[in-house]
Amino acid sequence: REKVRTLYAASEDLPTEHREACVMFEIEGRALKDIAEITGDSLNTVASRVRRSRERLRAVLERTEGQLEQRAGKERGQRHG
């Protein structure tokens, strides 16, 4: 649940053009070519925006997973300590 909240929050921090391209590609399932036609941007620009959005969101999720694992480890240690 926390991962989903984190993902939504992180997507809000993306530049609008990046977020729109990522949503159209990842959630709506549109082809890069279609997104380029909709936005009026080149195919390379759209592909770059999707790639950068994925990289940024992945990094946020990896940090969150690490924090969740640390928190779980501390809680386990407190129960056994």
Side-chain angles (χ1 to χ4, degrees), residues 5 8 15-16 21-22 26 28 33 35 38 40 42 44 56 60 67:
R5 284 190 212 125
Y8 277 113
T16 302
C22 190
E26 296 292 348
E28 296 177 8
K33 180 183 173 194
I35 299 168
I38 291 167
S42 73
N44 286 339
R56 195 159 166 187
V60 168
Q67 291 168 354

Side-chain angles (χ1 to χ4, degrees), residues 3 6-7 10-11 14 51-67:
K3 286 182 189 179
T6 301
L7 184 60
S11 70
L14 293 172
R51 179 180 46 79
R52 288 181 181 158
S53 297
R54 282 176 165 174
E55 289 170 354
R56 195 159 166 187
L57 294 174
R58 183 179 302 116
V60 168
L61 286 176
E62 287 173 355
R63 280 195 307 270
T64 301
E65 285 178 353
Q67 291 168 354

